[in-house]
Amino acid sequence: MPSILSELDAVARAAFETLGYPAAIAAVRESDRGDAPYQCNGAMAAAGIAKKRGEKVNPRDIAAQAVEIMQANAAMGQLDIAGPGFINITPADALLTTRANALLSDPTSGLRVESPQTIVVDYGGANVAKPMHVGHLRSAVLGEAIKRILRAQGHKVIGDVHMGDWGLQMGHLISELAEEQPNLPYFDETYTGEYPSESPVTMDDLARLYPAASNKAKSDTDRMEASRVATAQLQSGRRGYRALLDHFINVSVAALKVGYGNLGVEFDLWKGEACVDPLIPDMIEGLKTSGITELDDGALIINVDDKWDPKTRKGTPPVMLLASSGAVLYHTTDLATLVDRKAEIDPDMIVYVVDQRQALHFEQVFRAAVKADWYERDQLFHAGFGTMNGKDGKPFKTREGGVLRLEDLMEIMSDAARDRLDASGIGADFDAEERAEIGRKVGLAALKFADLQNQRMTNYIFDPERFTAFEGKTGPYLLYAVVRIKSILRKAKDMGVSAGVIAVAADTETQLVIALDSYARAIEYSAEKYTPHVLCEHIYRVAQSFSRFYADCPILADDVADEVKASRLALATATLAQLEHGLNLLGIEAPERM
Ligand code: ARG
């Protein structure tokens, strides 16, 4: 069934239309004042319209006329006119009750969109060989939430990790391995046999080889040249290097699957830059033929801004398809990926969940893809995000100054969560295993919620202490709310009380139902702007509304009548279902108890 708000909205719009005003001015919204839960401000706009028509009418009179029409509808409980002509609306108890019971039987009621789209979410973006670090955290956490939110609306959503596996880092690995183990068949250009199926390196080797090479290359130009040559030979198809690349990718993907898995992040596609390489020659030929490429100092470019001025560097610089050396660049692989996605998926929409510092890159790529006539501009969206900073306000680093690895970050969070649990005595009587599991879940919830609750463009400070607090707008607070309802339900079961039909009576119940009612709107808004923080706000509001309801309306107390128990228990059940559904969309999992 539609939401309470949309029912009221339809009635108000119809009333204003009957009075000869455009329906749009009568939009109903949740009230920010305490007088009534909803309000309609159409009368003021209507008076303005009337004035333009040369009529002189008082907005309060228009409001009175509208109220008279609206009153006839059973959805309306109480209607009051306030101030210059605001209409305060309290929905009828019957409407609240019907809606509450609809949410009880289907917590996803009203979430689905009418025309689902095919949407690719490009997120994660980890680099092969380099261990995942905190910079990839936000992309994974935000991207996963965006993917799940869009999926909940019924869209067909494909999450693609789009690994970085085609740059200089591959040349570094190859040349470093060549120094370490020159006798491997991959380095023998006369070798024509099959290469071993077993990888010559482990993830630990990769994590060691890459920094070794990159450090040497910083001070040694010959060493750098060796990596460049290896990259170029790999990209122009040297057989042994290709075979090595496959090993590197397989080893990395296996490790990444573990890392992302621990974070609760899953991808549908494990594609990367390397896998679209075979498409590049044809793509370049096609772009040349279409006449949009130019040669610039030996490099092949696409101009994407008529006003671009290379001297002042004002405007959007051109896309670089091929460097003068013939090397393929970041623009090129992203464009080839667009070609690949068009052919394989033909998406209505592609959303890139990538650090805001790459905004220019995406602007350039999008413009080129539009200029090439592959996509419309509004099919491509860069959902950028700010950085997670240390207390010094700079992107977060370890105490030693290095980038923090994701594993270590998760450990910091679990530790902080466990300290909190110990300090508060929560879960004190559980065994060590369960306590560790609770610590992990609380730590992860703390980290994810802290990340997601900010508008994605804002930077935020990594503060495990604050993130793990059980009070305030935090992940642990929400988990606690969920666990508390679960324990009420368990207790009810033990007492033989079961949920019945919800009959909304108390004010705190009305407020809780009104909060639950706005779920679909929060999802809609989050989906439209790719901003999960709106959903976070919503979940927090529901948890708080539940808390107020429960303080006001005991569920299992002896003096509560059976019918009332059953109704309140049902309302708690509906609340739990929505909290769990919403938290799941944020990628947050609650323990059974704590
Ligand atoms: N691998 C890149 C990095 O670590 C991020 C990839 C983002 N996605 C994309 N389609 N370019 O910076």
Side-chain angles (χ1 to χ4, degrees):
M1 81 172 270
S3 67
I4 293 169
L5 180 90
S6 50
E7 296 254 322
L8 303 178
D9 185 73
V11 175
R13 283 173 195 256
F16 276 80
E17 247 184 342
T18 308
L19 295 174
Y21 300 106
I25 63 167
V28 170
R29 53 184 172 85
E30 280 199 55
S31 179
D32 28 35
R33 286 185 301 257
D35 310 341
Y38 300 97
Q39 68 184 58
C40 167
N41 303 345
M44 272 68 69
I49 292 170
K51 195 172 169 193
K52 274 199 202 112
R53 292 184 196 147
E55 304 157 26
K56 211 176 154 264
V57 249
N58 182 335
R60 271 193 82 99
D61 295 340
I62 300 176
Q65 289 171 327
V67 163
E68 205 176 309
I69 301 172
M70 286 157 71
Q71 229 141 27
N73 192 295
M76 298 293 163
Q78 173 88 12
L79 293 168
D80 295 297
I81 301 169
F86 298 113
I87 303 173
N88 289 331
I89 309 173
T90 306
D93 285 347
L95 177 59
L96 289 162
T97 294
T98 314
R99 177 68 174 146
N101 286 296
L103 284 165
L104 176 64
S105 59
D106 176 13
T108 64
S109 161
L111 295 195
R112 295 192 160 247
V113 293
E114 260 167 42
S115 23
Q117 298 191 320
T118 301
I119 305 172
V120 173
V121 182
D122 178 315
Y123 70 112
N127 297 312
V128 160
K130 306 190 212 171
M132 265 203 281
H133 60 71
V134 64
H136 295 107
L137 168 79
R138 296 210 70 190
S139 177
V141 170
L142 268 162
E144 184 71 20
I146 290 171
K147 182 187 78 180
R148 292 181 187 203
I149 288 168
L150 294 169
R151 228 171 239 172
Q153 288 193 305
H155 297 293
K156 179 178 174 202
V157 191
I158 298 143
D160 183 2
V161 68
H162 197 76
M163 278 175 304
D165 54 7
W166 200 232
L168 180 67
Q169 81 261 32
M170 296 329 242
H172 275 322
L173 286 178
I174 293 171
S175 55
E176 191 65 17
L177 186 62
E179 271 186 18
E180 226 184 69
Q181 300 187 54
N183 296 328
L184 291 172
Y186 307 95
F187 302 115
D188 177 358
E189 282 192 83
T190 62
Y191 184 80
T192 52
E194 259 189 46
Y195 293 109
S197 57
E198 187 84 7
S199 169
V201 290
T202 63
M203 191 58 212
D204 284 342
D205 292 326
L206 293 181
R208 173 176 54 77
L209 291 168
Y210 172 74
S214 115
N215 281 336
K216 288 183 202 162
K218 271 181 203 137
S219 53
D220 180 346
T221 48
D222 287 347
R223 182 65 195 77
M224 184 59 155
E225 190 52 24
S227 292
R228 284 229 180 82
V229 170
T231 310
Q233 290 185 341
L234 167 71
Q235 296 193 349
S236 52
R238 183 165 158 177
R239 223 181 122 248
Y241 288 7
R242 279 293 193 153
L244 269 182
L245 176 79
D246 287 343
H247 284 311
F248 297 162
I249 292 178
N250 290 339
V251 166
S252 293
V253 166
L256 285 172
K257 280 192 175 160
V258 175
Y260 282 125
N262 289 338
L263 202 57
V265 172
E266 287 160 16
F267 297 95
D268 305 292
L269 293 178
W270 283 85
K271 288 195 163 186
E273 296 167 344
C275 77
V276 295
D277 173 66
L279 305 176
I280 290 177
D282 277 356
M283 174 182 86
I284 299 229
E285 274 324 300
L287 289 170
K288 278 186 182 161
T289 318
S290 74
I292 63 171
T293 60
E294 287 168 45
L295 273 171
D296 185 60
D297 256 345
L300 190 69
I301 63 163
I302 299 177
N303 256 313
V304 291
D305 183 2
D306 293 341
K307 296 198 193 70
W308 162 247
D309 180 352
K311 277 183 211 82
T312 59
R313 301 200 62 79
K314 283 219 178 86
T316 307
V319 158
M320 297 283 284
L321 282 176
L322 295 175
S324 51
S325 66
V328 156
L329 301 151
Y330 191 30
H331 284 149
T332 331
T333 51
D334 260 321
L335 284 169
T337 303
L338 280 170
V339 171
D340 183 49
R341 286 176 182 158
K342 184 105 207 165
E344 300 291 327
I345 302 169
D346 195 18
D348 299 300
M349 186 75 206
I350 307 180
V351 188
Y352 294 82
V353 187
V354 184
D355 196 317
Q356 184 58 19
R357 288 172 292 186
Q358 296 196 23
L360 177 62
H361 167 78
F362 288 109
E363 183 58 33
Q364 291 171 294
V365 168
F366 295 171
R367 286 184 184 213
V370 172
K371 200 165 177 179
D373 248 342
W374 299 338
Y375 291 86
E376 305 284 341
R377 184 63 181 80
D378 60 6
Q379 289 182 282
L380 306 169
F381 189 83
H382 173 212
F385 53 80
T387 50
M388 183 173 104
N389 293 335
K391 293 225 163 83
D392 59 359
K394 300 206 188 86
F396 189 75
K397 294 209 151 79
T398 58
R399 219 170 303 154
E400 294 75 39
V403 284
L404 179 69
R405 294 171 55 155
L406 209 50
E407 292 153 46
D408 302 332
L409 177 74
M410 286 172 52
E411 190 147 332
I412 294 177
M413 291 308 302
S414 296
D415 288 349
R418 236 166 294 143
D419 287 350
R420 275 280 174 194
L421 292 167
D422 288 346
S424 59
I426 294 177
D429 39 359
F430 301 163
D431 63 29
E433 200 181 319
E434 187 169 356
R435 285 168 59 79
E437 182 58 12
I438 293 172
R440 199 187 64 81
K441 283 187 171 150
V442 171
L444 205 51
L447 182 66
K448 287 187 177 182
F449 194 78
D451 191 276
L452 292 168
Q453 66 154 301
N454 300 293
Q455 208 290 345
R456 63 177 152 71
M457 293 288 225
T458 48
N459 304 334
Y460 70 94
I461 289 174
F462 179 63
D463 185 350
E465 189 114 352
R466 194 169 57 81
F467 295 175
T468 53
F470 276 96
E471 310 81 41
K473 205 192 285 177
T474 66
Y477 170 77
L478 297 170
L479 293 194
Y480 196 73
V482 165
V483 167
R484 183 154 76 145
I485 303 178
K486 284 187 178 178
S487 103
I488 297 169
L489 298 188
R490 268 198 304 269
K491 201 168 156 207
K493 203 171 168 197
D494 291 346
M495 293 169 61
V497 178
S498 44
V501 178
I502 303 173
V504 179
D507 266 1
T508 50
E509 288 183 302
T510 300
Q511 271 149 27
L512 176 55
V513 172
I514 283 172
L516 292 171
D517 181 61
S518 65
Y519 188 40
R521 274 197 309 287
I523 298 266
E524 203 178 299
Y525 196 94
S526 284
E528 192 178 298
K529 305 232 159 51
Y530 311 105
T531 45
H533 76 278
V534 180
L535 176 56
C536 292
E537 270 317 315
H538 173 82
I539 295 174
Y540 181 60
R541 175 185 175 193
V542 168
Q544 278 187 312
S545 305
F546 180 81
S547 201
R548 283 189 208 112
F549 151 72
Y550 189 53
D552 182 41
C553 301
I555 300 179
L556 300 171
D558 291 340
D559 56 348
V560 180
D562 285 351
E563 254 170 61
V564 177
K565 270 187 193 148
S567 163
R568 289 177 183 173
L569 192 62
L571 188 51
T573 307
T575 305
L576 176 65
Q578 187 173 102
L579 284 176
E580 287 198 298
H581 191 268
L583 286 172
N584 179 269
L585 298 187
L586 299 177
I588 294 176
E589 208 188 326
E592 268 318 296
R593 51 177 202 167
M594 65 185 189

